[in-house]
Amino acid sequence: MKILVAAKRVVDYNVKVRVRSDHSGVETANVKMSMNPFDEIAVEEAIRFKEAGHGDEVVVASIGPRQCEEVLRTALAMGADRGVLVRSDAALEPLAVARLLGVLAEREKSDLILLGKQAIDDDANQTGQMLAALLGWAQGTFACRLEAVQDGLRVTREIDGGLETLFMPLPAVVTADLRLNEPRYPKLPNIMKAKKKPLETLDGDSLGVDISPRLHTLRVSAPEPRKGGVRVTDVAELVDRLRNEAKVL
Amino acid sequence: MTQATLLLAEHDNSELAPSTYATVTAAVAMGGAIDILVAGDGCAGVASTAAAIPGIRRVQLAEAEALRHPLAEQLAALVLDLAPEYTHLVAPATTFGKNVLPRIAALLDSQQVSDIVAVESHDTFIRPIYAGNALATVRSTDGKKVITVRPTAFERADSHGGEAAITAIDVPELPPLSTFVDEDLNQSDRPQLDSARIVVSGGRGLGSGENFRIIEELADLLNGAVGASRAAVDAGYVPNDYQVGQTGKVVAPDLYIAVGISGAIQHLAGMAGSKVIVAINKDEEAPIFEVADYGLVGDLFTIVPELVEAIRASR
């Protein structure tokens, strides 16, 4: 089984973003960037699948500027076999990313594509579903458990009411939720080894894919801050204020 | 083409989910005629419920055994057949809509607008990005707008007064891609987390699943729902569907009581829209206090039982 994993470079999980004063977006200059945490879970799952004897090769792909190589090196240090960087300096929307990944999947003859359920920057939660649609494959979104079974996969999904388990034949696209696994920290010798693993660069404009933006971002603003609250001294004061001031009890 | 919206109803074949009513309100704000698609198995009753919502032109009822569970591949194929009539396709941004709508968008060559919290016009919407730390106003240039709606950001539409016609549609052959195996739904008599008027949430500070009983006791006293931070879910104190946050459920109750929750930005993203927020935490530096209307510093194991007693006594 050939596994393709997609990993996005995003503003680090711990950074509190600031909106630019001209409202054109959020400040990303001199901000720590790292792999989208959900994609990290997807990378980990792909590697575990291979380690369990279900996969022959784990290829990790990232789409974006040159610096996405760092994300790929991290995935290679975790245990992926090979990296592909699709270079593009354009601001790519999920549909464009799905199209580019679709081309890669055909080129790599992938049987299973794993990616995070959403990226923590645009919070769109679309790419995996769109990719499955474009390829005509089954989709298992928000996965918290993945099992290889005869002729396909059993995917347990986190849904609003609890859990749902689906069977799907391969090829398929699976998107990772938080509790699918806990990603490993790359060990130093593996980080060194990762530097020698193959990393190919493709030009995003040469793949024959329409990546033009469909959405115009007119304005990005900071949400209304909540008005500062008060500290109450004890339970009696809290109950009194909830009842008589806030009128919610 | 005259503007018309197809709204995918979320339901369990017997009841229409509250998220559907909120999505109707957003669709009304976009303008044009609104049809609701009720796709399922043995769900004619749901179609009648949907037809009673004021402002709906028509309810499209698609019944087939293959539609018993809302599988994305099957639903997408069905909607694709209906899509030519519509300029807008909308669904709630719940795990139901998030799963199926992007698949439809891609097949229609449309860049979906996810999780909108406000409608500016038929093609312009506001949506949170970066866990709600920024709000983007975006205009869709696609011929077909595909939109998911954050249910807590819109009032729920009325459930009575409408008399939309119900049209049964022929269900085309649906691709047998994924199939349903089983589900493990959490049964509870409490109000649903995403539609409750009061939510009491616990975090890592609870220390164990057993200790969550004090959260449940407070929630039950207030007829509220029980929520949790990611830390509490990851630690196994409570099931996954309790999670409030950027990647869990987004809630906006009248009263949100956060107990033993530090207030990571990912958690705040899921509850900062609440009308009144109470924080109970022993760490007075905890970020949750920055968004709380009422903060109480102290040991939750003392405060919560006291709070239960005080509310009982004052009734």
Side-chain angles (χ1 to χ4, degrees), chain A residues 27-216:
Chain A
E27 197 50 74
T28 51
N30 302 316
V31 167
K32 188 185 175 202
M33 307 288 283
S34 45
M35 194 191 309
N36 177 38
F38 289 95
D39 295 340
E40 216 174 322
I41 295 169
V43 170
E44 175 67 32
E45 195 67 14
I47 295 165
R48 288 188 192 187
F49 236 60
K50 188 188 162 189
E51 287 170 348
H54 305 308
D56 305 309
E57 188 189 31
V58 175
V59 177
V60 57
S62 192
I63 304 176
R66 169 77 57 200
Q67 293 90 322
C68 292
E69 274 186 15
E70 296 156 21
V71 166
L72 292 173
R73 291 291 173 202
T74 303
L76 294 172
M78 289 170 72
D81 298 300
R82 193 154 61 78
V84 181
L85 168 64
V86 179
R87 272 292 307 265
S88 174
D89 293 320
L92 297 173
E93 292 170 353
L95 183 60
V97 172
R99 284 192 198 293
L100 290 167
L101 290 174
V103 171
L104 273 190
E106 278 166 6
R107 191 171 168 270
E108 295 288 342
K109 303 194 168 32
S110 312
D111 303 295
L112 170 63
I113 306 176
L114 281 161
L115 58 174
K117 75 164 181 179
Q118 77 190 67
I120 60 165
D121 49 6
D122 64 10
D123 283 331
N125 194 332
Q126 297 175 5
T127 305
Q129 296 89 312
M130 289 183 154
L131 177 58
L134 296 172
L135 292 167
W137 294 6
Q139 69 181 57
T141 54
F142 327 145
C144 62
R145 187 152 185 234
L146 187 59
E147 279 172 280
V149 293
Q150 197 166 7
D151 301 325
L153 297 173
R154 264 170 84 108
V155 183
T156 302
R157 312 176 51 235
E158 293 202 358
I159 59 171
D160 287 334
L163 300 173
E164 177 189 68
T165 301
L166 305 178
F167 166 81
M168 57 197 64
L170 292 169
V173 176
V174 172
T175 73
D177 213 320
L178 287 172
R179 281 167 282 276
L180 184 58
N181 60 51
E182 220 168 291
R184 70 193 71 186
Y185 287 102
K187 297 195 179 76
L188 188 61
N190 292 342
I191 295 172
M192 301 311 288
K193 257 191 260 172
K195 292 184 177 160
K196 299 202 177 83
K197 287 187 178 176
L199 198 162
E200 178 187 10
T201 301
L202 302 174
D203 178 3
D205 296 330
S206 70
L207 295 177
V209 165
D210 171 19
I211 56 168
S212 57
R214 312 294 188 79
L215 302 180
H216 290 181

Side-chain angles (χ1 to χ4, degrees), chain B residues 179-218:
Chain B
T179 47
F180 176 84
V181 177
D182 60 33
E183 63 191 356
D184 179 7
L185 302 182
N186 293 304
Q187 305 297 337
S188 167
D189 294 333
R190 295 193 185 98
Q192 288 195 355
L193 186 52
D194 48 10
S195 55
R197 205 182 63 78
I198 294 178
V199 173
V200 186
S201 281
R204 202 200 301 269
L206 268 296
S208 74
E210 204 165 285
N211 290 340
F212 244 80
R213 268 187 302 198
I214 63 170
I215 300 293
E216 291 165 355
E217 191 181 4
L218 178 57

Side-chain angles (χ1 to χ4, degrees), chain B residues 95-131:
Chain B
T95 54
F96 160 76
K98 288 175 182 176
N99 181 42
V100 66
L101 219 60
R103 190 171 181 106
I104 295 167
L107 296 172
L108 293 171
D109 188 31
S110 175
Q111 173 54 56
Q112 175 177 309
V113 184
S114 288
D115 205 17
I116 63 163
V117 295
V119 175
E120 299 278 281
S121 74
H122 71 101
D123 65 357
T124 304
F125 313 95
I126 298 178
R127 59 178 303 266
I129 53 176
Y130 291 92

Side-chain angles (χ1 to χ4, degrees), chain B residues 93 202 240 261 307:
Chain B
N240 65 283
I261 292 176
L307 185 55

